[in-house]
Amino acid sequence: MKREKVNQYLDYIPLLFLLIEVVLLIGDIITTEYLISRPHYLGFFFLALVSCLFFWKHKVGVLALAFTLLLGILGFISFDIAIAIMTIGKSSNSVNLQFQPIFILWILLHVIISRRHYFGIASKKYWTELKEELTANRP
């Protein structure tokens, strides 16, 4: 098997971890009295979208997974019952941040495994090539 194909399969590892986390979340919801909230619904939506993108165009799926993990770090999505809330600032001007610390581990794993997709991401050439790749197979 070619190295490129192996690397492509390795890109699926963080996605599989998220899918396992969703299965565990659904199991927790079924077996306990917890209710799912907006971050959970958004997490389900983005995970389904990322899964479809992985099979449509692999590189777009990888980039969408990174975006989804960033949304998790920022607290917009969740794949677990427990959502950590951190308060930053003084009590009168405090800001509450919701996030799951596990997203930091997941994004590190993702960047380590899929780093080849991010070389030159800040350049115009990167985005031009991605656009050409997306439009190349259109009928």
Side-chain angles (χ1 to χ4, degrees):
M1 190 179 295
K2 292 183 178 180
R3 182 170 175 82
E4 182 179 317
K5 197 69 167 169
V6 170
N7 286 339
Q8 191 171 8
Y9 287 135
L10 289 174
D11 290 335
Y12 287 94
I13 291 174
L15 180 63
L16 289 175
F17 280 133
L18 292 179
L19 290 171
I20 291 169
E21 188 70 27
V22 165
V23 169
L24 294 173
L25 171 63
I26 292 170
D28 286 343
I29 291 167
I30 291 171
T31 60
T32 63
E33 295 180 11
Y34 288 110
L35 298 174
I36 56 176
S37 60
R38 183 184 49 87
H40 298 114
Y41 287 117
L42 286 172
F44 295 153
F45 171 76
F46 276 100
L47 191 59
L49 179 66
V50 167
S51 298
C52 291
L53 289 174
F54 254 97
F55 292 105
W56 177 61
K57 293 286 183 178
H58 185 80
K59 189 171 189 173
V60 175
V62 170
L63 295 173
L65 180 59
F67 179 72
T68 301
L69 293 172
L70 287 174
L71 288 176
I73 288 174
L74 297 173
F76 291 110
I77 64 171
S78 176
F79 297 117
D80 197 0
I81 291 292
I83 300 174
I85 298 175
M86 178 177 24
T87 303
I88 299 175
K90 297 180 180 179
S91 60
S92 61
N93 295 331
S94 63
V95 175
N96 288 333
L97 299 176
Q98 296 182 5
F99 75 102
Q100 291 176 285
I102 191 71
F103 276 101
I104 296 170
L105 176 64
W106 286 337
I107 201 157
L108 285 174
L109 176 69
H110 172 72
V111 168
I112 290 168
I113 291 174
S114 303
R115 67 185 171 271
R116 69 192 179 286
H117 294 288
Y118 298 107
F119 290 122
I121 197 167
S123 69
K124 183 177 180 180
K125 180 183 175 190
Y126 179 91
W127 295 103
T128 304
E129 289 175 359
L130 182 63
K131 183 179 177 185
E132 289 172 2
E133 182 181 325
L134 290 175
T135 58
N137 294 336
R138 286 196 175 173

